[in-house]
Each structure stands twice: as C-alpha cells, then as structure tokens.
Amino acid sequence: MIGRLIAGGLRSRNWLGDWRTKRSLSGFRQFLPWRKSPGRDSDTTTGPLSRIAPRPSTDGDIESARKRRNDWTDLLKRLAPGSIGQKVNILSGKNPTRSEFLRIRSQPSEVADVRHAVRDISIEMGFNEEEVSQIALAVGESLANVIQHSYQGACDKPIDIRLEVDHQDSSAILRVVIRDFGKQVDPACIQGRPLEEVRPGGLGVHIIRTIMDETIYERADGGGMRLTMVKKVTPVTRKMNES
Amino acid sequence: MSVIIKEVDRRDYGTIVRLTGEIDLHHSPDFHQALVTECARNPAKLIIEMSDVQYIDSSGVGSLVEIYRRVKKGGNRMILVAPGPRVAGVLEITKLDQFFTIASTEDEAFQL
C-alpha cells in the first residue's frame, strides 16, 4: 500500500521508507495547528492530519512521525468491523468516532498536504483506489473554492478542517467538514454549472457533489461558510479490497 | 522547466508537452503559462502527454479548456495522450472526455 507521510516539512512517498525533504511548513506556526475536538474523547494530536503540523526537521521527528503513522494505522485496524468492544476500549467513550482537527492558511501550496493526508485516511478506511482518488479530489476542490471564492485569493486566511471516521458495524463513514471565515452566501446559490457550457471554471462544486454521498453548505455561526461532506465505505467495497 | 512540465519536444509537425506531478490550484498558473507559451509558437498539433500526471483538479482542467480554445482559434489541434485513471476520472466526471480528443499514444496522436 502506497501512502504519503508528512511531518515537520518532511514527506515520504512510502511510509516504510524513501524519506525526502519537501519544504518547511513554518507557515502553520502562526496558527494554532491542533485543538482538542469538543465533545470527543479521542486525542487529536495523532493521526495523518497531525503530521502536517510544524515540527523541526530532525531525525528524531522522522521517527516520531513514523510512530504516529503506525499508531493511526493500528488504531484503524483495531476499529475494523466486528471489533465493537475494542472500539469502546480504545476511545473510552460511547461514540466510536475518530475526530481530527486542523487549521491551515488559505495558501494553494498547503492544499496538497491535506489532500495527501485525506488520501491516507481513505485508504486505511477501506475505500477502493478510485474512491480514494475521488475523495482527495473533492477535498482539494473544496479547499480551492474557499481560497478562490470565500477569500478571493488571499493566502493568509484561516481554514478549519475537521475529519471524522465513524465506524458502524460493517460500514464506515468519512466525514470532512471545512469551515472558512470569509463572506457568507446563500447555500442555495452554491450550485455546479451545466456541463454543456464548456468553459474554464465553475466545475468544483459539480465535482464535489458528484463524488460525495452528502454535501451540505451552511452559513457558519460567527461568520463564514461550513461545508460538510460525507462518504460511506460500503461493505462491498471493503470486501473487494480485502480479497 | 516547472515541476509540471517535464519536457517540451518541438518537432516539425507538432509539439509534445510531457507533464508530470499534480496539477492543482498551486501549480495551475505556471502550467497554464507554459502551455500559452507553446501555443504562441503555433504548432499544427499540440500534444499533451499526461501518463505521469497523478492528480488534476478543476483549475488544471480549466487551463486545458482555455488552451484548447486558443489552439482551435489558431486553426490547430490539441490532443491529450494517455491520461491515467485519476485524470481520466476527472475528465469523465466533468464530461470533458467527450470534448477533448484523447489518444492512447503519442504516435497515435500524430496520426489523428
């Protein structure tokens, strides 16, 4: 399984090796990169999205990032269908949901990191290869829309990303919530354009709505917009991937 | 040469632009500008080889549409070659697979 691992400005093509320096992610430092998810029992300082948080580029951090990756992998394995008891033990709560939170800046260069992390999580959840690519695309389009439309290209505005993995019996649900603090618009006006009009632009919303099972745009309390996207792993998909 | 434009192969009968990497909002401006530069040379065929493209979003697809129009306006042709499954999936979702001319190989593109 090919995955990407990001930590402290380092990224791996394959999380078992091939480390290479990519770039500094020092831009994240001016924000609070990680916060405890309200009402959740899970520790939000681990998991794929946490690997985007800024850390010095040292060998020690490579190792700790590798360990965090393994922790996340192990957790998802233990949360596999049929292990309900373990779910409760691991999360010490009633809701077997893994929740992660990240705040990034509205820089196009940061979108790829989030996209890769979402891809990793989707792979671990059991989505097939096509679905993994599509989910990463939907998340990438959502963030691009925030940058282009909500913030009109400004690169220093905050974007909050919440990512939840919810296991339910034989299926699992990936929920991605993207919140901005830009201008509010009527959610009913957020529509994809007719594809018969072949021209650049305006395809993002169509792509998102086509890929995801649920897509909800809302005005967020305190300003800005909130987009909630849901994709469900079907038992059929899981079975195909396991075989 | 940008990360996205791997190689530009200018021949008498057309230009092949070989791409690599992920074409997203971050890279699209450079990608678009590089293709605009090639369009300005007015090749009879602009062949865009995409087998090594791992990701393309609506900004990248939008650039392709805009370049297609430029090429067509000049009376020339633009052909996409060997888009991988991820790129093909995006073209399918946006129904642009019915809009662009797509070839399996560079040789096939030259014969079209």
Side-chain angles (χ1 to χ4, degrees):
Chain A
M1 181 184 297
I2 301 296
R4 293 178 189 273
L5 177 57
I6 310 156
L10 295 170
R11 175 182 294 169
S12 164
R13 289 170 187 266
N14 180 322
W15 27 277
L16 296 178
D18 188 24
W19 290 91
R20 62 188 172 98
T21 301
K22 186 187 176 248
R23 60 187 168 80
S24 168
L25 295 177
S26 59
F28 286 115
R29 290 194 174 92
Q30 64 181 284
F31 294 109
L32 296 174
W34 285 95
R35 297 203 299 241
K36 185 82 173 178
S37 304
R40 300 292 187 194
D41 293 320
S42 57
D43 175 9
T44 59
T45 60
T46 60
L49 282 180
S50 73
R51 287 182 245 114
I52 302 173
R55 293 181 183 84
S57 301
T58 64
D59 290 343
D61 280 301
I62 291 174
E63 286 307 313
S64 61
R66 197 191 301 269
K67 183 177 183 306
R68 283 195 299 277
R69 184 63 168 91
N70 290 336
D71 287 346
W72 175 254
T73 304
D74 289 344
L75 176 68
L76 286 166
K77 284 179 180 173
R78 282 177 287 180
L79 285 175
S83 57
I84 296 174
Q86 286 180 307
K87 287 178 188 174
V88 175
N89 290 337
I90 293 166
L91 296 174
S92 302
K94 294 177 182 177
N95 190 350
T97 298
R98 178 78 178 179
S99 178
E100 310 232 16
F101 177 86
L102 173 70
R103 172 171 286 187
I104 66 168
R105 286 190 301 171
S106 54
Q107 283 203 358
S109 60
E110 311 295 2
V111 173
D113 290 339
V114 178
R115 210 167 59 222
H116 297 158
V118 169
R119 186 189 302 275
D120 279 355
I121 292 170
S122 303
I123 290 171
E124 298 291 353
M125 287 181 67
F127 287 106
N128 66 37
E129 192 172 334
E130 182 183 7
E131 290 170 329
V132 167
S133 297
Q134 290 185 339
I135 292 166
L137 174 64
V139 172
E141 293 289 353
S142 306
L143 294 172
N145 279 349
V146 169
I147 294 170
Q148 288 180 301
H149 301 300
S150 297
Y151 292 138
Q152 297 177 321
C155 295
D156 58 348
K157 305 295 184 186
I159 304 174
D160 287 357
I161 303 157
R162 183 186 301 284
L163 201 144
E164 295 177 357
V165 179
D166 189 359
H167 289 267
Q168 298 176 347
D169 299 327
S170 61
S171 65
I173 292 173
L174 174 65
R175 185 178 294 106
V176 183
V177 183
I178 294 175
R179 189 259 166 97
D180 66 63
F181 300 85
K183 63 178 181 179
Q184 291 190 324
V185 297
D186 180 358
C189 294
I190 304 175
Q191 300 290 338
R193 66 169 172 78
L195 297 182
E196 290 71 26
E197 302 171 17
V198 179
R199 57 178 171 82
L203 292 172
V205 173
H206 168 79
I207 290 173
I208 295 164
R209 290 191 187 278
T210 301
I211 290 172
M212 304 305 281
D213 295 331
E214 291 179 37
T215 306
I216 303 168
Y217 287 94
E218 301 168 293
R219 290 187 179 95
D221 294 338
M225 298 297 291
R226 179 171 52 243
L227 166 61
T228 303
M229 298 176 287
V230 175
K231 187 76 174 178
K232 188 175 182 180
V233 186
T234 62
V236 173
T237 299
R238 277 176 177 258
K239 193 173 181 180
M240 286 174 64
N241 289 342
E242 287 167 3
S243 63
Chain B
M1 197 71 68
S2 72
V3 175
I4 298 301
I5 308 294
K6 183 166 61 178
E7 190 178 17
V8 177
D9 186 358
R10 298 188 187 99
R11 303 181 184 183
D12 292 339
Y13 40 86
T15 295
I16 304 170
V17 179
R18 299 188 179 96
L19 308 178
T20 186
E22 303 191 340
I23 307 172
D24 58 10
L25 186 63
H26 179 49
H27 292 108
S28 279
D30 288 344
F31 168 63
H32 182 258
Q33 187 53 51
L35 291 183
V36 166
T37 300
E38 290 310 314
C39 277
R41 292 174 173 270
N42 207 29
K45 280 186 181 174
L46 180 62
I47 296 174
I48 302 177
E49 207 282 335
M50 306 188 77
S51 63
D52 202 26
V53 175
Q54 302 302 314
Y55 177 89
I56 190 167
D57 68 5
S58 62
S59 67
V61 166
S63 291
L64 289 176
V65 170
E66 202 279 330
I67 295 298
Y68 175 87
R69 290 189 165 174
R70 282 175 185 254
V71 170
K72 196 173 179 183
K73 194 174 180 182
N76 300 315
R77 298 190 68 189
M78 184 179 106
I79 301 168
L80 306 183
V81 173
R86 293 175 183 177
V87 175
V90 178
L91 295 177
E92 188 178 348
I93 287 174
T94 55
K95 295 190 177 176
L96 289 171
D97 56 336
Q98 301 162 26
F99 176 75
F100 291 121
T101 303
I102 301 175
S104 302
T105 65
E106 292 176 7
D107 287 342
E108 182 187 332
F110 276 118
Q111 290 166 11
L112 287 175

